[in-house]
Amino acid sequence: MAEISEFLVIVLAILAFLLLLTGVGIYLLVKLGKKAAKKARQATTRLTTHVNAMGTGDAAEVERLRLDLRREMALTRQAVEQAQQRGWGLGDLPRLLADLSAQADVHDGQLAMYAQQRRVSPYIDHAALDRLREHQAKLTAMCARIRADLLGDQMHHASSGIDELYSRTELEIEARRRPPDPLDQIDELYRRSMEQRKDHS
């Protein structure tokens, strides 16, 4: 009887362990599935935007504005991240970029809504498109100014690094030169004096 109860305990323990593993596996699969679905939605949205941007008319122009804004934001994020990795003093620039990204997301949503409405109905407020273009110009100008400032910093850092390297190179080359041998100098002076005597005579 004791052997049977021990056997049952072992079987139940194995079953509990297998159930636990199954639960963890299902949890991970659901989590991965959600991530994959989210990435698939983002990829579909990007692809749809690219396809819609190839057309003509206001809706296609707005889709091109969306693509342009995404590219500008990506380039600006990349420039700020590189500056952070190099340890440059950026002040409040990362926070400003976060606010700019949030505003760009809002603007992207407005552009998407306008493009969708424009595709469905020809009756839409054209003044809204002018305002969207104006906001787009301001956002892309801010991105360009941030990148230009960071490029100036990068050139300044590179310039100081090049100047320092140039000085080190000059010092190293000078240190590698063989000091003049005094006997060679005496021989040179003697040779010159002999040549001068020959010239005078």
Side-chain angles (χ1 to χ4, degrees), residues 29-86:
L29 283 174
V30 168
K31 201 168 182 183
L32 278 172
K34 283 182 181 177
K35 260 188 182 178
K38 186 179 178 184
K39 288 199 177 194
R41 274 195 304 274
Q42 289 172 346
T44 305
T45 306
R46 281 194 206 110
L47 183 63
T48 306
T49 305
H50 279 280
V51 170
N52 289 336
M54 291 181 200
T56 56
D58 290 345
E61 179 193 347
V62 168
E63 295 292 359
R64 286 192 290 274
L65 288 175
R66 292 179 73 195
L67 292 173
D68 187 44
L69 182 62
R70 287 176 191 168
R71 184 179 61 249
E72 290 292 317
M73 287 304 303
L75 287 170
T76 307
R77 262 190 225 100
Q78 183 182 11
V80 170
E81 285 168 7
Q82 285 176 352
Q84 281 178 318
Q85 287 169 0
R86 292 176 180 152

Side-chain angles (χ1 to χ4, degrees), residues 57-139:
D58 290 345
E61 179 193 347
V62 168
E63 295 292 359
R64 286 192 290 274
L65 288 175
R66 292 179 73 195
L67 292 173
D68 187 44
L69 182 62
R70 287 176 191 168
R71 184 179 61 249
E72 290 292 317
M73 287 304 303
L75 287 170
T76 307
R77 262 190 225 100
Q78 183 182 11
V80 170
E81 285 168 7
Q82 285 176 352
Q84 281 178 318
Q85 287 169 0
R86 292 176 180 152
W88 299 350
L90 295 180
D92 204 31
L93 196 57
R95 180 71 201 136
L96 176 69
L97 180 65
D99 294 343
L100 182 59
S101 294
Q103 193 60 52
D105 289 342
V106 169
H107 182 66
D108 184 65
Q110 291 169 347
L111 288 171
M113 187 184 302
Y114 181 92
Q116 183 183 16
Q117 290 174 3
R118 189 70 178 99
R119 277 192 295 274
V120 172
S121 167
Y123 307 107
I124 194 158
D125 182 15
H126 289 281
L129 179 57
D130 291 336
R131 290 289 304 275
L132 288 170
R133 285 182 186 131
E134 195 179 303
H135 292 166
Q136 174 91 6
K138 286 179 182 175
L139 288 169

